[in-house]
């Protein structure tokens, strides 16, 4: 299934009001952890899958990447990305992630931020990315954590006074689509367990170099008390892998 919720006016309007949509990478809670997984970007050819407003594309060029291709299915997303970009070395293409078609060894770095949990066949995408990377190339991705996606409700269990008691996890090993509620809309996300993400990378030929479940630091908790929730259950899974 190739979803394009972001070209629905109401959904896009809601997304545009999110802190990360307004404030960019520094307003994205997982950005510090994601950035730490990135390799040296200078002179690298970068592909961003699910590029959205193009924040990661522009960051790569700030770090002197040679060229960047950003891919997204949403014309709304790409229109905003192009309006915010003044750089001939960044190219935006309207494509579903499932439809990408590049040449062997075309890129040195492939990144994807919070997009691949919308893709049904993660293993297939991994094999494609492996082929598109040059030897020694790096693949860095973030997805919603499987503990977060296991139940479609994606919400806490509350007591009678509304206090958050615990985060329910059920059907963890029952992988497949979940109809979740996001930005007041129904969206389809694909639940996979942690081992499925890791094994898909390994079986595609990658060597896993780092994994993060974004445990909040003391500084994060001090700057934003809302991070306390992330000490109780992980919301993000971040992975970095290399093509040997």
């Amino acid at each position: 299934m190739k979803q394009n919720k972001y070209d629905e006016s109401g959904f896009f309007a809601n997304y545009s009001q999110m802190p990360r949509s307004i404030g960019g990478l520094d307003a994205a809670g997982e950005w510090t952890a994601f950035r730490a997984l990135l390799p040296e970007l200078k002179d690298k050819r970068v592909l961003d899958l699910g590029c959205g407003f193009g924040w990661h594309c522009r960051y790569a060029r700030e770090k002197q990447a040679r060229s960047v291709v950003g891919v997204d299915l949403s014309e709304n997303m790409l229109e905003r990305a192009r309006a915010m970009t003044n750089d001939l070395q960044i190219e935006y293409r309207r494509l579903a992630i499932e439809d990408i078609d590049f040449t062997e060894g075309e890129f040195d770095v492939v990144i994807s931020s919070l997009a691949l949990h919308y893709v049904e066949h993660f293993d297939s995408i991994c094999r494609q990315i492996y082929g598109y990377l040059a030897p020694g190339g790096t693949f860095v991705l973030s997805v919603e954590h499987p503990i977060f996606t296991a139940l479609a409700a994606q919400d806490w269990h509350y007591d009678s006074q509304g206090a958050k008691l615990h985060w329910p996890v059920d059907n963890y090993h029952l992988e497949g689509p979940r109809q979740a509620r996001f930005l007041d809309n129904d969206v389809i996300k694909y639940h996979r367990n942690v081992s499925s993400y890791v094994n898909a990378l390994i079986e595609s030929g990658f060597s896993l170099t780092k994994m993060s479940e974004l445990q909040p630091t003391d500084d994060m908790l001090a700057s934003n008390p809302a991070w306390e929730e992330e000490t109780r259950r992980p919301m993000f899974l971040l992975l970095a892998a290399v093509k040997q």
Side-chain angles (χ1 to χ4, degrees):
M1 179 182 294
K2 300 169 187 176
Q3 292 184 99
N4 191 10
K5 299 291 293 185
Y6 294 90
D7 278 351
E8 297 177 12
S9 58
F11 189 90
F12 184 72
N14 290 344
Y15 177 81
S16 297
Q17 295 305 309
M18 293 183 69
R20 67 178 61 231
S21 301
I22 298 169
L25 297 178
D26 290 335
E30 78 287 358
W31 168 238
T32 300
F34 191 90
R35 181 178 57 196
L37 300 185
L38 294 173
E40 169 67 48
L41 295 174
K42 185 177 181 181
D43 295 327
K44 300 294 176 60
R45 301 162 298 166
V46 178
L47 172 63
D48 182 1
L49 298 176
C51 65
F53 286 2
W55 297 108
H56 294 88
C57 297
R58 292 187 292 277
Y59 173 82
R61 282 288 291 155
E62 288 171 9
K63 294 300 179 181
Q64 302 180 50
R66 186 194 314 174
S67 60
V68 183
V69 175
V71 168
D72 206 286
L73 180 58
S74 166
E75 185 57 42
N76 282 341
M77 289 287 207
L78 294 178
E79 182 179 356
R80 187 72 62 90
R82 292 183 180 111
M84 298 170 71
T85 301
N86 183 22
D87 188 334
L88 295 178
Q89 299 307 312
I90 299 177
E91 177 189 358
Y92 295 112
R93 300 186 191 181
R94 188 178 185 189
L95 279 173
I97 293 175
E98 297 91 332
D99 294 336
I100 56 174
D101 185 15
F102 298 100
T103 59
E104 184 173 350
E106 187 171 345
F107 300 100
D108 303 298
V109 180
V110 176
I111 62 177
S112 183
S113 174
L114 300 179
L116 290 169
H117 49 254
Y118 294 115
V119 172
E120 183 175 6
H121 299 295
F122 178 71
D123 53 349
S124 175
I125 296 298
C126 285
R127 290 192 295 271
Q128 288 180 265
I129 291 169
Y130 186 86
Y132 301 150
L133 280 169
T138 303
F139 179 26
V140 178
L141 67 132
S142 65
V143 291
E144 289 185 351
H145 198 287
I147 284 178
F148 192 79
T149 61
L151 282 178
Q154 295 189 320
D155 199 3
W156 295 90
H157 183 73
Y158 301 88
D159 68 13
S160 58
Q161 282 74 49
K164 295 171 180 175
L165 295 178
H166 59 265
W167 185 269
V169 177
D170 199 4
N171 292 323
Y172 180 80
H173 289 299
L174 183 62
E175 299 184 321
R178 304 287 194 269
Q179 183 169 292
R181 194 74 179 164
F182 179 48
L183 298 177
D184 294 325
N185 280 258
D186 292 329
V187 298
I188 300 296
K189 300 178 182 180
Y190 289 92
H191 168 70
R192 287 174 281 269
N193 59 35
V194 172
S195 59
S196 289
Y197 279 113
V198 171
N199 288 332
L201 290 166
I202 293 171
E203 291 165 5
S204 297
F206 286 103
S207 293
L208 190 69
T209 57
K210 195 77 171 179
M211 181 171 73
S212 170
E213 296 175 284
L214 192 55
Q215 180 178 349
T217 64
D218 290 341
D219 288 343
M220 292 167 68
L221 293 168
S223 64
N224 185 357
W227 275 108
E228 177 65 29
E229 290 190 0
E230 310 311 317
T231 66
R232 300 177 63 185
R233 61 95 175 91
M235 186 176 183
F236 303 107
L237 175 67
L238 303 95
L239 300 162
V242 172
K243 177 177 180 177
Q244 298 294 350

